[in-house]
Amino acid sequence: MSAASHLEQREVGDQAIWSLSTAKPGNGVEQLRDDNIDTYWQSDGPQPHLINIQFHKRMPIQEISIYTEFKLDESYTPSKLSIRAGTTFHDLQEIHVEELTEPSGWVTILRAPSDANAELLRTHFIQVAILANHQNGRDTHIRQVKVYTPRRHMGQHMSLPEFNTIAFQQYACLR
Amino acid sequence: MRCRHDSRPSPPYTITTQSPCICGSAVPVRRSSRLSTSAPPTDVHAMPPPSPRPAPPSAASHAALQLLERLASGYHLLCQYKCRDALAVFHSLPERQKKTGWVLCQLGRAHFEMVQYAEALQAFELALKIEPHRLCGMELHSTILWHLKREVGLSYLAKRALDFERNSPYACCVVGNCFSLQKEHDTALKFFQRAIQLQPDFAYAYTLSGHEYSANDDFEKATACYRSAIRFDERHYNAWYGLGNIYYRQEKYDFAEQHLQAALKINPSSSPLYCYLGMALHANQKPEQALNMLATAIDLDQKNPLARFQKAQVLLSMDQHELALTELKTLVEMAPKEGSVYQMLGKVYKKLGDHSNAMVNLTRAMDLSPKDAQQIKAAINNLEKEDNAEEEEDL
């Protein structure tokens, strides 16, 4: 991730409630979200494997990235993912399908629309479904998942517009 | 006796309940002893306890006591946020007393509370020159640089503070402010948290953490930080303001009003606080009261552009377009480079039916704030559409 994009977006995964369809004991949500690429979530059941990310409020989503390591995980590495959005479990709609070939490191599985004027996805609920693994593997390994929201909608003092002269900005907030 | 965080060979940190500002007052004591040339240098702590019948004071000690009294009254006024009176007292000090780090820091703080950042910066810069070892007060210095968006100056100050004393909570706040200006809010938070670790009763560090959480839209943690700040220092109005800001952004306007009022009770001479309270009242459907508050804000500080901007906004929502227009015209003269002002002018002219002037102002706004281009374009398109519709009607 470049430094510039880091300034324009913010990770909001810690504001969400995470759940998984299945997990091997000791390889669950905690390992998926611990910022450690040596630990991973391992599913333990039939496909599709699901990651459910539920927000308290409608969250604008700019990007979703996952960390996988084909060299270590081999047949556990996901090859086809579906991303679904909605308000609860019952009204999910598929918004994107991403196919991966031998991914290694951070992969962005959902991108913001390239047209800057287009509306961002805003949703309460995001589900990442792993539909297939490499070499027809059954269970899956994902090491990290990150959800990003754009920064420009946020952090404004007293919901003021962004002023462009310092004389104005000085009065726009106390510190 | 020296300020606790003043000098490099300071002992490892012992946590005391002494507030950081009061410990700074030790320095003038040292200075005043230097004044009394005839009498041997007196140490406050070494003095015998006052006897029931005190000996008649010598002229020198009388002068010293008078000086201390004046310093104390200035500090007292400043703590009550009577900044103008405090400034007068500090300026009435003899010249050589005015040129001490402590007095300059207090002068800087008084200007800071009145949003006179340029003057405040001057005082702090002079203080830094005279007493480069003074870390207490540097956190305010860095906040002023943050407000003035002086990235280079702030980086330099941060580097200097860190090189001088890594274990000072003030230095950590300076570095945190530096990262905050670079919009690296998570790194800034780390430094503010470090400052709290170094001095767990440092209310300002809690408030600064709160501001960073608020910048990241993490309202829950920000609220917790502001509350901690208030727990350690009930008169820390910045934290009350922070809470008001959060409730405002959550659209809980009653709470916002209440917290901003609490902040104003502590610091009744702050023009921005009145302005924010006015905004909260306006959002809470009390435009009349809002106008009163905004008028007070403008009275307190003629140069507060935000208060005039908000006043125009309230007037616009009350359909008093002509009054809004006069307010905005004054504002344009004060802040000729501010896009949002032209944008609002465009809106007002449109309401008044003066489409050509509306278009002029909207295009100016577009030039000045390209970030809002989308919104302004939409307004211009609307205007064109209406114009075309009118022409068709005429035909």
Side-chain angles (χ1 to χ4, degrees):
Chain A
M1 211 190 335
S2 70
S5 73
H6 169 72
L7 290 180
E8 282 159 21
Q9 59 190 25
R10 193 176 66 99
E11 219 279 321
V12 282
D14 51 358
Q15 290 178 30
I17 298 162
W18 292 69
S19 59
L20 302 166
S21 54
T22 57
K24 214 179 85 172
N27 290 73
V29 174
E30 203 168 306
Q31 284 66 33
L32 191 62
R33 290 285 307 163
D34 61 359
D35 268 331
N36 183 352
I37 51 169
D38 297 328
T39 59
Y40 48 81
W41 160 53
Q42 182 177 329
S43 62
D44 188 15
Q47 283 175 348
H49 307 299
L50 309 173
I51 306 172
N52 305 305
I53 310 165
Q54 199 164 2
F55 289 100
H56 288 294
K57 57 173 188 183
R58 220 150 70 98
M59 184 67 81
I61 306 288
Q62 175 152 316
E63 238 181 69
I64 301 175
S65 300
I66 60 169
Y67 192 97
T68 53
E69 190 66 81
F70 180 73
K71 283 195 196 93
L72 293 173
D73 298 335
E74 295 181 334
S75 69
Y76 286 98
T77 315
S79 63
K80 192 173 177 195
L81 298 122
S82 154
I83 292 145
R84 300 150 182 181
T87 52
T88 73
F89 276 103
H90 310 295
D91 63 351
L92 292 173
Q93 299 230 330
E94 188 164 272
I95 49 170
H96 183 68
V97 177
E98 181 82 10
E99 303 216 11
L100 308 172
T101 38
E102 307 192 0
S104 171
W106 286 106
V107 201
T108 307
I109 54 172
L110 180 73
R111 278 167 218 86
S114 52
D115 179 9
N117 293 336
E119 279 273 316
L120 273 183
L121 167 69
R122 289 166 68 94
T123 183
H124 282 98
F125 195 111
I126 287 237
Q127 186 177 63
V128 178
I130 292 99
L131 303 178
N133 289 323
H134 283 75
Q135 301 161 7
N136 270 328
R138 192 174 68 107
D139 284 324
T140 196
H141 280 185
I142 292 187
R143 289 166 183 265
Q144 287 294 307
V145 179
K146 299 267 183 206
V147 185
Y148 293 100
T149 191
R151 206 178 261 286
R152 60 175 176 274
H153 294 298
M154 353 199 335
Q156 286 151 344
H157 280 269
M158 301 297 287
S159 313
L160 285 166
E162 225 176 286
F163 296 113
N164 52 5
T165 50
I166 290 176
F168 247 91
Q169 284 165 0
Q170 276 177 18
Y171 285 91
C173 67
L174 288 178
R175 201 172 162 83
Chain B
M1 186 178 146
R2 304 186 112 198
C3 183
R4 190 149 47 101
H5 308 296
D6 259 7
S7 53
R8 188 183 276 260
S10 61
Y13 279 83
T14 47
I15 311 307
T16 63
T17 49
Q18 205 179 16
S19 101
C21 301
I22 290 167
C23 70
S25 64
V27 174
V29 175
R30 186 164 54 97
R31 290 253 159 188
S32 64
S33 67
R34 196 185 293 164
L35 263 182
S36 49
T37 40
S38 56
T42 49
D43 188 346
V44 184
H45 292 281
M47 274 206 286
S51 52
R53 203 179 293 161
S58 69
S61 70
H62 184 71
L65 277 174
Q66 220 174 12
L67 174 67
L68 275 179
E69 195 260 324
R70 219 182 299 169
L71 288 172
S73 71
Y75 186 69
H76 182 220
L77 286 167
L78 187 54
C79 287
Q80 292 176 308
Y81 296 103
K82 295 177 179 163
C83 300
R84 241 160 263 200
D85 302 338
L87 272 182
V89 171
F90 284 124
H91 277 301
S92 73
L93 288 169
E95 202 56 33
R96 58 182 295 188
Q97 289 300 324
K98 242 194 281 177
K99 290 273 176 311
T100 60
W102 187 82
V103 173
L104 283 168
C105 280
Q106 303 309 313
L107 277 175
R109 203 177 133 212
H111 282 298
F112 169 79
E113 302 294 0
M114 293 196 292
V115 204
Q116 300 172 341
Y117 295 131
E119 288 89 343
L121 184 64
Q122 256 180 353
F124 275 110
E125 272 174 353
L126 195 56
L128 191 67
K129 216 169 166 187
I130 293 172
E131 288 183 16
H133 53 272
R134 173 176 282 278
L135 287 171
C136 175
M138 224 179 232
E139 78 283 8
L140 269 190
H141 188 170
S142 70
T143 299
I144 292 161
L145 290 167
W146 185 94
H147 271 298
L148 294 171
K149 309 263 179 285
R150 300 270 175 89
E151 293 182 14
V152 179
L154 188 49
S155 306
Y156 173 63
L157 191 71
K159 170 91 176 83
R160 216 177 140 144
L162 263 198
D163 282 352
F164 190 73
E165 175 61 69
R166 277 193 159 268
N167 292 327
S168 156
Y170 306 109
C172 289
C173 283
V174 177
V175 181
N177 265 335
C178 183
F179 277 109
S180 170
L181 186 56
Q182 301 294 331
K183 297 221 161 57
E184 301 229 9
H185 299 294
D186 296 326
T187 322
L189 261 174
K190 275 185 199 155
F191 277 95
F192 292 138
Q193 297 297 335
R194 177 97 184 103
I196 292 171
Q197 280 178 350
L198 288 164
Q199 190 183 326
D201 62 346
F202 192 8
Y204 194 45
Y206 283 101
T207 306
L208 288 171
S209 307
H211 289 329
E212 293 313 304
Y213 279 124
S214 152
N216 266 346
D217 260 12
D218 196 337
F219 294 139
E220 236 168 82
K221 282 185 185 152
T223 315
C225 279
Y226 291 134
R227 294 219 168 109
S228 303
I230 293 170
R231 198 169 66 232
F232 287 112
D233 182 359
E234 219 184 348
R235 285 183 55 76
H236 191 57
Y237 76 92
N238 307 50
W240 289 102
Y241 149 75
L243 285 173
N245 176 26
I246 283 182
Y247 286 125
Y248 185 92
R249 283 171 63 195
Q250 290 177 328
E251 302 184 0
K252 296 176 183 165
Y253 298 121
D254 284 328
F255 286 147
E257 241 179 73
Q258 204 178 334
H259 284 87
L260 288 169
Q261 250 150 7
L264 265 177
K265 220 177 200 175
I266 298 165
N267 183 359
S269 61
S270 167
S271 173
L273 276 180
Y274 275 106
C275 178
Y276 303 142
L277 181 58
M279 287 161 65
L281 286 165
H282 180 215
N284 214 0
Q285 314 295 338
K286 299 176 188 165
E288 302 290 339
Q289 278 167 281
L291 275 182
N292 279 341
M293 286 301 145
L294 291 170
T296 324
I298 297 171
D299 270 350
L300 279 169
D301 186 352
Q302 294 289 328
K303 282 186 268 174
N304 186 344
L306 186 65
R308 288 178 197 272
F309 186 75
Q310 291 301 331
K311 191 175 165 192
Q313 189 122 35
V314 178
L315 289 169
L316 184 63
S317 72
M318 290 165 79
D319 284 330
Q320 302 190 350
H321 305 308
E322 296 287 348
L323 285 175
L325 187 63
T326 9
E327 199 61 48
L328 283 172
K329 275 184 177 162
T330 358
L331 189 55
V332 160
E333 276 167 33
M334 284 167 59
K337 286 186 183 162
E338 184 54 61
S340 327
V341 179
Y342 291 105
Q343 210 176 328
M344 181 121 77
L345 260 176
K347 234 188 256 176
V348 174
Y349 275 122
K350 192 185 156 196
K351 293 257 176 173
L352 286 169
D354 187 345
H355 284 200
S356 62
N357 259 328
M359 189 63 93
V360 168
N361 283 300
L362 284 175
T363 24
R364 259 188 213 150
M366 179 97 104
D367 283 345
L368 288 168
S369 40
K371 268 185 207 159
D372 301 326
Q374 232 177 305
Q375 210 185 336
I376 301 171
K377 248 182 220 164
I380 291 180
N381 283 340
N382 268 342
L383 205 59
E384 277 172 350
K385 250 185 230 163
E386 272 180 35
D387 270 351
N388 289 341
E390 269 173 31
E391 272 168 32
E392 275 168 28
E393 267 173 36
D394 289 345
L395 286 172

